[in-house]
């Protein structure tokens, strides 16, 4: 190998090690040493080096977390040894009974226990070969799971590779398996659900379902956006526990750079266990993720082996489950709320109860399917749970001698409760919607969305004010916000001179927010925060976006047929075009920074097909666009080049049929350079 190549190789590897270290500080230790901007700079530098030396790209490079094309399904994979579940206990007596069994079966009384948080996610097995992450497998039925490696690779707290010295220091062999819990932190879960709500998508019920749904996403780039976290708690070699003590395993995993939950304690008896349980019953509220109990494990492997397993669970470990943060109360009424997209949501009005210190007086029933599933009627007593989501939910109807059944069946109204407009349920969909475009409820929600912090950030324009403004007809669309006068505001209830002025200042200030916020604020279905950013970056102005064709829209990152259709529909509606004109008059930001593009490939149209070895689709697309080219989704006579990777399909056939030039990845690189 020539020295120059060797130097580059060294430089790239050194940069990778540096990035890995900072990823570890940030995602594993939650204790970054450098700013996000500095980190991004390192990543950019590595990406550039790798783009210039594509032969140097390795699968464990930090740039390679997201890759691969969407799949149609997952391949099954057998576990090295069964992934067991745990038996549950619910009180101190049951725990003591478990300890007695441990003493009897092992013939020892000096057993030590490790207490750990029972993380509420899904268990996963990660296999490493020669220090490199090889496979990530879901638990499945315990003996066989699904290979979700591409998704696992996007989780930043999962090391893609571990240096030999590090493994050696931790005492871990080069080939090993780590099992642990994949979960979604509460903050990310809430943000994701808010975003889904804005986009008119159904929400996930709790962080566990969200984590499970995310791990089984067929599109790895989506998994990458929804931040998951992984905590290790088992280390196996050829399917068997490797270290003599569980406490050693936890320390070794930590040394090797895995995220290991630090809230753990080695205790000498059940009294110690009980203390830990009591402590976390309170403290769990302050954790950034959900737990549903405590796991207690016998620390010594030889004692574990003596105890063995029952059918599906080890005898050497047990779960203590906290009671769900819920309670039983009565449904006094079921009302219907109308959202921004016109969706009708039935809400149970409850006799107030206190759950985990919060007063709960309403709970969502989601939709008609859910009401039928629960079989719920007005007057029923129900169990209500408050999960990671802020909105409590009804989990079941209670039916016993102390809690007689209700009698009044709920029916979805045929007319919108707010405007009297027609309500329809599209066949195959769970939701009922009000079809009146001028429904005031839709208007209210649209205004609230526009004013929200992550959108135009108009502080003070909340529920109370928006209700009054829309009720009095002062605001009929988002552009009217910019026509509000001080006199208008002073006529409203509970608005004084100072607060009126504050709101006006806020409204004025919002005009300076960048283009992507305006796009997001329009409330186009399926256009969330991120998509709005891509659109702003790609088109550089609202006018260019407004006049874009379907093809042009689909050139944008992450914009597919569904999103482009929704954008086209939005701008085809004359009322929406008029709205945009009014916003322009009001002086909102209509132009942004269009990404600077080269001219090398100006006028050339590309189609990508198959899997490229060194780039994801999005990366290749970006490179072509940065050089002035266009990337289209389908092959036509106008296509200049089809870039074919591995497993190229029908697009390649079409190219051959039409006589379009087909190039491979290397030739594409040459065109770019
Ligand atoms: S140990 C053979 N430790 O709880 C022992 N499990 O209800 C395997 N879980 O399937 C599990 N936190 O998904 C263990 N600290 C922890 C855990 C934990 C959560 C989950 C795991 C398991 C389920 C059983």
């Amino acid at each position: 190998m020539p020295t120059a190549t060797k130097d580059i190789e060294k430089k790239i590897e050194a940069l990778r090690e540096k990035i890995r270290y900072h990823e570890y500080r940030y995602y594993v230790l939650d204790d970054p040493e450098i700013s996000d901007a500095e980190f991004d700079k390192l990543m950019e530098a590595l990406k550039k080096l790798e783009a210039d030396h594509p032969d140097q790209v390795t699968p464990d490079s930090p740039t390679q977390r997201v890759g691969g094309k969407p799949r149609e399904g997952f391949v099954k994979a057998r576990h090295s040894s069964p992934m067991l579940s745990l038996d549950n206990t619910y009180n101190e007596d049951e725990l003591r009974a478990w300890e007695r069994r441990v003493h009897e079966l092992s013939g020892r009384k000096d057993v030590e226990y490790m207490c750990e948080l029972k993380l509420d996610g899904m268990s996963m097995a990660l296999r490493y070969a020669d220090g490199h992450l090889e496979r990530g497998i879901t638990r499945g039925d315990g003996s066989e799971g699904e290979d979700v490696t591409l998704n696992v690779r996007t989780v930043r707290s999962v090391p893609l590779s571990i240096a030999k010295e590090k493994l050696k220091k931790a005492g871990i062999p080069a080939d090993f398996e780590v099992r642990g819990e994949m979960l979604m932190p509460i903050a990310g879960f809430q943000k994701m659900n808010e975003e889904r709500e804005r986009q008119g998508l159904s929400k996930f019920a709790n962080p566990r379902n969200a984590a499970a749904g995310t791990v089984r996403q067929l599109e790895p780039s989506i998994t990458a956006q929804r931040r998951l976290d992984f905590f290790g708690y088992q280390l196996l070699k050829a399917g068997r526990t490797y270290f003599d003590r569980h406490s050693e395993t936890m320390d070794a995993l930590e040394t090797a750079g895995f995220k290991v939950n630090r809230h753990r304690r080695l205790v000498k008896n059940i009294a110690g266990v009980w203390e830990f349980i009591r402590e976390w019953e309170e403290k769990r509220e302050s954790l950034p993720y959900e737990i549903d109990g405590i796991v207690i494990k016998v620390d010594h492997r030889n004692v574990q082996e003596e105890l063995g397993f029952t059918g599906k669970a080890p005898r050497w470990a047990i779960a203590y489950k906290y009671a769900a943060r819920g309670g039983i109360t009565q449904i006094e009424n079921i009302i219907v709320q109308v959202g921004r997209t016109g969706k009708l949501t039935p809400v149970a009005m409850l006799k107030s109860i206190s759950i985990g210190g919060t007063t709960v007086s309403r709970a969502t029933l989601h939709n008609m399917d859910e009401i039928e599933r629960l079989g719920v009627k007005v007057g029923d007593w129900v169990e209500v749970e408050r999960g990671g989501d802020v909105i409590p939910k009804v989990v079941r109807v209670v039916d016993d001698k102390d809690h007689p059944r209700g009698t009044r069946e709920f029916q979805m109204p045929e007319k919108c409760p707010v405007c009297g407009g027609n309500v329809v349920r599209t066949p195959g969909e769970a939701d009922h919607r009000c079809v009146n475009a001028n429904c005031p409820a839709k208007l209210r929600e649209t205004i609230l969305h526009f004013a929200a912090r992550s959108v135009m950030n108009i502080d003070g324009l909340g529920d109370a004010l928006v209700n009054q403004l829309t009720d009095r007809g002062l605001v009929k669309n988002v552009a009217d916000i910019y026509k509000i006068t001080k006199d208008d505001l002073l006529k409203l209830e509970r608005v004084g001179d100072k607060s009126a002025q504050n709101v006006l200042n806020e409204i004025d200030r919002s005009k300076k927010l960048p283009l992507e916020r305006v796009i997001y604020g329009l409330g186009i279905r399926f256009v969330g925060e991120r998509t709005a950013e891509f659109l702003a970056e790609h088109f550089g102005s609202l006018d260019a976006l407004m006049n874009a064709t379907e093809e042009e829209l689909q050139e944008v990152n992450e914009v597919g047929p569904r999103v482009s259709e929704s954008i086209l529909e939005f701008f085809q509606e004359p009322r929406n075009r008029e709205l945009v004109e009014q916003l322009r008059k009001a002086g909102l930001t209509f132009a942004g920074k269009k990404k600077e593009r080269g001219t090398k490939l100006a006028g050339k149209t590309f189609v990508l097909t198959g899997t490229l070895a060194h780039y994801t689709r999005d990366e290749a697309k970006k490179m072509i666009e940065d050089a002035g080219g266009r990337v289209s989704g389908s092959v036509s006579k106008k296509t200049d080049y089809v870039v074919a990777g591995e497993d190229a399909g029908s697009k390649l056939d079409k190219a051959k049929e039409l006589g379009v030039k087909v190039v491979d990845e290397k030739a594409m690189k040459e065109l770019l350079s």
Side-chain angles (χ1 to χ4, degrees):
M1 199 182 288
T3 341
T5 319
K6 265 226 154 116
D7 285 351
I8 286 293
E9 200 181 313
K10 266 198 191 144
K11 193 168 166 197
I12 290 182
E13 201 38 50
L15 194 49
R16 283 184 190 144
E17 246 340 284
K18 201 164 175 182
I19 291 173
R20 283 186 195 121
Y21 172 72
H22 290 297
E23 276 188 326
Y24 169 74
R25 298 287 321 185
Y26 189 97
Y27 295 106
V28 177
L29 301 184
D30 288 325
D31 183 19
E33 275 177 5
I34 59 174
S35 70
D36 290 3
E38 282 169 295
F39 181 81
D40 290 346
K41 256 195 209 148
L42 293 175
M43 262 314 228
E44 282 308 316
L46 177 59
K47 276 191 192 152
K48 173 137 196 337
L49 276 174
E50 290 183 349
D52 293 342
H53 305 277
D55 53 314
Q56 301 279 325
V57 180
T58 55
D60 62 3
S61 167
T63 59
Q64 303 298 303
R65 283 197 179 268
V66 189
K69 57 181 173 183
R71 284 138 303 163
E72 273 156 22
F74 295 106
V75 175
K76 292 253 184 295
R78 278 206 85 70
H79 287 298
S80 57
S81 62
M83 279 185 86
L84 302 167
S85 72
L86 296 169
D87 286 331
N88 293 325
T89 56
Y90 297 91
N91 55 48
E92 198 178 345
D93 284 349
E94 288 174 2
L95 266 179
R96 292 201 180 274
W98 174 72
E99 184 184 42
R100 273 198 299 280
R101 253 191 338 270
V102 168
H103 288 171
E104 272 165 30
L105 291 172
S106 68
R108 311 168 51 142
K109 289 232 151 117
D110 58 347
V111 184
E112 285 180 66
Y113 305 101
M114 176 64 94
C115 306
E116 289 170 21
L117 304 184
K118 188 167 187 307
L119 307 162
D120 204 4
M122 65 184 302
S123 49
M124 296 275 291
L126 312 184
R127 282 192 209 156
Y128 285 78
D130 202 22
H132 299 279
L133 174 66
E134 197 187 48
R135 265 176 162 208
I137 308 169
T138 63
R139 174 167 183 271
D141 65 5
S143 24
E144 203 178 59
E146 284 175 319
D147 184 329
V148 291
T149 312
L150 290 182
N151 286 343
V152 170
R153 288 174 60 90
T154 69
V155 179
R156 310 298 200 281
S157 48
V158 171
L160 295 180
S161 72
I162 304 165
K164 287 210 166 61
E165 311 81 67
K166 222 179 200 179
L167 284 176
K168 201 164 161 212
K169 190 167 161 221
I172 296 177
D175 297 340
F176 61 97
E177 178 176 334
V178 175
R179 291 183 181 176
E181 202 80 354
M182 193 68 92
L183 56 81
M184 187 179 283
I186 297 168
F189 164 74
Q190 283 173 349
K191 190 153 183 266
M192 180 181 91
N193 260 354
E194 279 164 24
E195 176 81 17
R196 286 177 75 85
E197 179 152 48
R198 282 197 201 113
Q199 296 188 21
L201 301 172
S202 62
K203 299 200 289 176
F204 283 108
N206 52 48
R208 178 172 17 87
N209 289 3
T214 302
V215 162
R216 299 192 69 259
Q217 248 294 325
L218 291 168
E219 168 70 88
S221 67
I222 295 186
T223 310
Q225 288 166 39
R226 304 188 193 155
R227 293 292 157 86
L228 293 173
D229 221 343
F230 177 82
F231 288 92
Y233 49 61
Q234 269 188 307
L235 181 89
L236 309 180
K237 162 93 188 160
R240 294 197 50 200
T241 301
Y242 187 70
F243 288 104
D244 287 341
R245 299 180 67 149
H246 178 63
S247 43
E248 258 181 88
T249 300
M250 298 296 263
D251 295 342
L253 286 175
E254 216 160 17
T255 309
F258 284 92
K259 194 160 184 166
V260 175
N261 204 285
R262 59 195 165 88
H263 305 305
R264 58 182 194 266
R265 188 182 299 159
L266 194 61
V267 299
K268 293 196 175 340
N269 48 41
I270 289 297
V273 169
W274 194 243
E275 203 175 309
F276 188 83
I277 289 174
R278 286 274 75 88
E279 244 176 77
W280 280 100
E281 175 133 50
E282 297 269 316
K283 283 201 293 198
R284 72 171 166 144
E285 298 288 342
S286 60
L287 289 167
Y289 41 80
E290 296 218 313
I291 64 168
D292 61 340
I294 300 293
V295 182
I296 303 111
K297 301 172 182 174
V298 167
D299 199 48
H300 280 88
R301 186 181 55 180
N302 57 357
V303 183
Q304 288 182 0
E305 280 167 358
E306 268 168 62
L307 292 165
F309 306 87
T310 62
K312 64 168 188 53
R315 286 199 195 86
W316 50 262
I318 194 103
Y320 174 87
K321 296 268 273 192
Y322 287 124
R325 281 171 295 192
I328 291 173
T329 186
Q330 196 176 20
I331 297 190
E332 292 179 327
N333 195 7
I334 297 177
I335 62 153
V336 172
Q337 278 181 349
V338 188
R340 180 165 64 91
T341 58
K343 177 181 182 289
L344 269 58
T345 305
V347 177
M349 306 302 287
L350 308 166
K351 217 173 244 169
S352 299
I353 46 161
S354 171
I355 302 178
T358 310
T359 306
V360 173
S361 54
R362 41 169 66 204
T364 178
L365 290 164
H366 298 291
N367 52 41
M368 218 43 219
D369 282 355
E370 177 73 356
I371 289 184
E372 278 155 21
R373 189 183 71 81
L374 293 163
V376 74
K377 294 192 181 113
V378 176
D380 273 342
W381 290 84
V382 287
E383 190 177 324
V384 179
E385 234 177 65
R386 195 164 65 85
D389 206 346
V390 268
I391 309 160
K393 68 179 278 178
V394 172
V395 283
R396 71 180 174 102
V397 174
V398 184
D399 183 12
D400 56 33
K401 65 178 193 331
D402 299 325
H403 302 101
R405 289 294 312 262
T407 47
R408 188 149 65 83
E409 295 244 7
F410 169 79
Q411 248 156 24
M412 202 53 112
E414 284 169 15
K415 300 282 176 198
C416 169
V418 177
C419 71
N422 283 337
V423 168
V424 297
R425 177 181 188 170
T426 314
E429 277 191 19
D431 298 336
H432 285 73
R433 282 177 203 279
C434 164
V435 292
N436 172 16
N438 296 317
C439 174
K442 285 189 197 173
L443 174 62
R444 258 199 314 270
E445 296 298 321
T446 304
I447 306 290
L448 284 169
H449 165 71
F450 189 84
R453 181 166 309 153
S454 61
V455 192
M456 298 304 280
N457 194 17
I458 306 177
D459 204 16
L461 201 54
D463 267 322
L465 208 53
V466 170
N467 279 346
Q468 296 194 62
L469 287 166
T470 52
D471 284 352
R472 292 175 186 229
L474 288 166
V475 169
K476 297 199 190 69
N477 59 37
V478 294
D480 287 346
I481 295 174
Y482 295 94
K483 295 179 190 150
I484 301 173
T485 65
K486 196 164 193 181
D487 278 347
D488 289 339
L489 291 172
L490 289 174
K491 278 186 215 131
L492 306 178
E493 280 162 37
R494 283 185 298 274
V495 182
D497 196 79
K498 185 144 181 273
S499 64
Q501 193 52 51
N502 284 344
V503 172
L504 290 177
N505 293 346
E506 283 286 311
I507 292 175
D508 208 45
R509 213 171 47 90
S510 76
K511 293 180 187 170
K512 296 200 184 60
L513 289 181
L515 176 63
E516 58 264 28
R517 300 274 193 132
V518 180
I519 296 175
Y520 185 28
L522 292 175
I524 307 169
R525 201 155 177 226
F526 305 128
V527 176
E529 199 168 352
R530 202 174 137 88
T531 308
E533 262 172 46
F534 286 136
L535 289 168
E537 207 172 70
H538 185 93
F539 290 106
S541 76
L542 196 55
D543 290 279
L545 169 65
M546 233 184 343
N547 297 316
T549 63
E550 181 176 358
E551 255 209 333
E552 286 164 350
L553 286 167
Q554 291 192 18
E555 283 171 22
V556 180
N557 243 348
E558 291 176 18
V559 173
R562 200 178 58 150
V563 183
S564 61
E565 192 184 306
S566 164
I567 296 172
L568 287 173
E569 248 174 39
F570 183 89
F571 288 117
Q572 265 157 20
E573 166 65 43
R575 265 182 296 203
N576 291 335
R577 293 189 86 95
E578 173 53 31
L579 178 79
V580 169
E581 285 321 307
Q582 289 183 33
L583 290 175
R584 188 199 306 276
K585 264 194 219 134
L588 270 70
T589 313
F590 268 43
K593 265 196 279 129
K594 192 168 170 159
K595 269 270 174 88
E596 277 307 315
R597 306 171 90 205
T599 50
K600 186 131 190 112
L601 297 179
K604 299 282 182 236
T605 303
F606 287 73
V607 171
L608 303 169
T609 176
T611 312
L612 302 178
H614 298 111
Y615 310 97
T616 64
R617 277 274 172 98
D618 280 340
E619 281 164 355
K621 191 167 170 179
K622 199 169 163 293
M623 282 160 52
I624 293 170
E625 284 172 355
D626 286 350
R630 259 169 35 91
V631 177
S632 163
S634 56
V635 183
S636 74
K637 271 187 270 178
K638 287 191 220 140
T639 311
D640 294 290
Y641 298 99
V642 167
V643 183
E646 214 175 299
D647 292 329
S650 60
K651 287 181 194 168
L652 181 57
D653 300 337
K654 183 92 189 272
K656 286 182 185 154
E657 193 188 309
L658 295 174
V660 172
K661 195 163 172 137
V662 177
V663 295
D664 62 7
E665 192 172 340
K666 199 162 147 245
M668 176 188 83
K669 276 295 298 178
E670 275 158 21
L671 285 170
L672 283 163
S673 63

